[in-house]
């Protein structure tokens, strides 16, 4: 049985600027900003929420089924997924656009300037949930707005339990739209900032939100996470990272562990403990899909 992951598949372009943005931006000229940064260090990573979560789940021994869209330039990404043993049967290839691309310039103070081109992600709603495929569990992660809404409705109608992970897509929705998605979901997972924004737009707190679901998980970065079930909060301590190299994709690694645990029938606290381990492992590696968990450590959870 597969775990469906609705979300983005993207290419991350990371550029490193050796100076400080602040030294090149004049506040009095901000209304006609035109700057250029020399970035001698560059790397290209496979990314996107669906791709990253699928990678994490596969590393743990799960069977991910990404539901996503790529453009005419996405062939090498599909080849990589297949080499990892991840099905691409439901990754649509759209010839009239590019794969989603995220370009990030980071200065020496870890400030970032980011430009995101959604590309094929904007048409992900044209790729429906394959309800004729054996699916035990699913996640609706950041994607095109219409895709997130349609896939949530399709999963609910098919009786497939799913995690709603609004992530960076959260600002796209108003309170009424978010409530509709919460009503369809089985679980919700967000980071601390997203939890504040989500509750603000819904008009109630985390305890009240958790009472509408089987559970709410709030990741807190280096401080671990919170697990809310039926209005009660349980704090799950962090796992110390061997090194802090690159935070990109840590949240997706955590979500892959969440899906793995839920499929095993674990409670949310146990899932969160594994998620904290996988997030700590990922942050010690550069890129969102370049880490391998220790099977013996995983078995200990």
């Amino acid at each position: 049985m597969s775990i469906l992951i609705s979300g983005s598949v993207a290419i991350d372009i990371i550029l490193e600027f050796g100076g400080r943005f602040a030294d090149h931006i004049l506040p009095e000229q901000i209304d006609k900003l035109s700057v250029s940064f020399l970035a001698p260090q560059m790397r290209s990573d496979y990314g996107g929420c669906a791709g990253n979560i699928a990678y994490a789940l596969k590393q743990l021994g799960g069977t991910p089924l990404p539901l996503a869209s790529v453009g005419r330039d996405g062939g090498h990404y599909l080849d990589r997924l297949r080499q990892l043993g991840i099905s691409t049967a439901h990754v649509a290839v759209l010839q009239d656009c590019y794969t989603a691309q995220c370009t990030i310039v980071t200065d020496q103070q870890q400030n970032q300037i980011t430009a995101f081109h959604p590309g094929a992600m904007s048409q992900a709603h044209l790729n429906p949930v394959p309800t004729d495929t054996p699916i035990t569990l699913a996640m609706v992660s950041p994607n095109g707005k219409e895709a997130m809404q349609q896939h949530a409705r399709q999963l609910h109608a098919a009786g497939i339990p799913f995690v709603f992970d609004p992530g960076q897509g959260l600002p796209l929705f108003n309170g009424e739209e978010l409530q509709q998605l919460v009503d369809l979901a089985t679980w919700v997972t967000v980071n601390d900032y997203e939890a504040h924004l989500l509750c603000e737009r819904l008009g109630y707190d985390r305890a009240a939100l958790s009472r509408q679901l089987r559970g709410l998980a709030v990741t807190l970065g280096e401080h671990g996470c919170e697990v809310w079930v039926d209005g009660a909060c349980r704090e799950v301590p962090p796992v110390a990272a061997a090194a802090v190299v690159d935070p990109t994709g840590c949240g997706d690694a955590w979500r892959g562990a969440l899906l793995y645990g839920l499929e095993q029938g674990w409670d949310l606290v146990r899932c969160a403990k594994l998620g904290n381990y996988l997030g700590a492992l990922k942050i010690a590696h550069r890129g969102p899909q370049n880490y391998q968990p220790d099977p013996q450590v995983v078995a200990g959870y």
Side-chain angles (χ1 to χ4, degrees):
M1 299 288 276
S2 300
I3 297 178
L4 186 82
I5 305 167
S6 164
S8 61
V9 165
I11 301 298
D12 295 337
I13 307 297
I14 313 297
L15 302 168
E16 297 183 11
F17 170 56
R20 301 191 319 151
F21 294 145
D23 295 335
H24 298 263
I25 298 175
L26 302 176
E28 66 276 12
Q29 299 293 317
I30 199 71
D31 61 329
K32 44 187 175 182
L33 184 66
S34 179
V35 294
S36 177
F37 302 106
L38 178 64
Q41 302 298 320
M42 170 183 164
R43 74 176 194 272
S44 177
D45 289 329
Y46 294 103
C49 294
N52 295 343
I53 297 169
Y55 176 86
L57 180 58
K58 185 66 178 181
Q59 291 297 308
L60 292 169
T63 306
L65 186 64
L67 178 64
S69 298
V70 299
R72 57 180 176 269
D73 58 338
H76 62 103
Y77 202 142
L78 297 185
D79 289 342
R80 171 181 166 76
L81 291 175
R82 295 184 191 114
Q83 289 167 4
L84 291 168
I86 297 172
S87 172
T88 60
H90 298 284
V91 180
V93 180
L94 307 179
Q95 296 296 334
D96 61 345
C97 56
Y98 291 103
T99 301
Q101 312 253 343
C102 184
T103 301
I104 303 170
V105 184
T106 304
D107 74 1
Q108 65 180 10
Q109 294 183 313
Q110 299 304 303
N111 298 308
Q112 292 184 326
I113 296 176
T114 300
F116 183 74
H117 172 66
M121 192 184 83
S122 298
Q123 301 182 51
H125 59 281
L126 301 176
N127 190 13
V129 171
T131 53
D132 57 344
T133 300
I135 299 168
T136 57
L137 178 67
M139 175 172 280
V140 174
S141 66
N143 205 344
K145 178 180 179 179
E146 193 172 350
M148 295 175 73
Q149 293 172 313
Q150 289 195 19
H151 292 168
R153 289 194 292 266
Q154 291 161 4
L155 288 165
H156 186 266
I160 300 170
F162 73 92
V163 180
F164 175 44
D165 168 31
Q168 62 264 37
L170 200 156
L172 299 173
F173 303 96
N174 61 34
E176 181 180 354
E177 292 167 333
L178 287 168
Q179 185 61 63
Q180 291 170 352
L181 288 163
V182 168
D183 290 342
L184 297 172
T186 314
W187 303 271
V188 166
T189 183
V190 285
N191 65 29
D192 192 37
Y193 173 80
E194 293 158 359
H196 284 288
L197 180 57
L198 177 59
C199 288
E200 178 184 278
R201 294 199 174 180
L202 291 174
Y204 48 80
D205 61 15
R206 301 178 192 191
L209 175 57
S210 70
R211 293 189 186 100
Q212 301 179 48
L213 304 153
R214 289 192 202 171
L216 165 68
V218 182
T219 57
L220 306 173
E222 63 183 9
H223 301 295
C225 61
E226 295 175 350
V227 169
W228 292 82
V229 177
D230 197 24
C233 178
R234 171 82 176 272
E235 294 184 2
V236 182
V239 173
V244 177
V245 176
D246 179 11
T248 309
C250 285
D252 294 330
W254 196 97
R255 283 148 179 77
L258 172 66
L259 290 175
Y260 176 82
L262 289 174
E263 188 184 35
Q264 308 303 308
W266 296 0
D267 61 43
L268 277 180
V269 170
R270 187 177 178 186
C271 294
K273 289 178 179 178
L274 179 62
N276 288 351
Y277 160 68
L278 210 64
L281 178 66
K282 202 256 66 90
I283 203 170
H285 294 78
R286 195 169 298 282
Q289 297 181 22
N290 296 313
Y291 60 94
Q292 289 82 39
D294 184 333
Q296 291 186 332
V297 174
V298 173
Y301 284 94

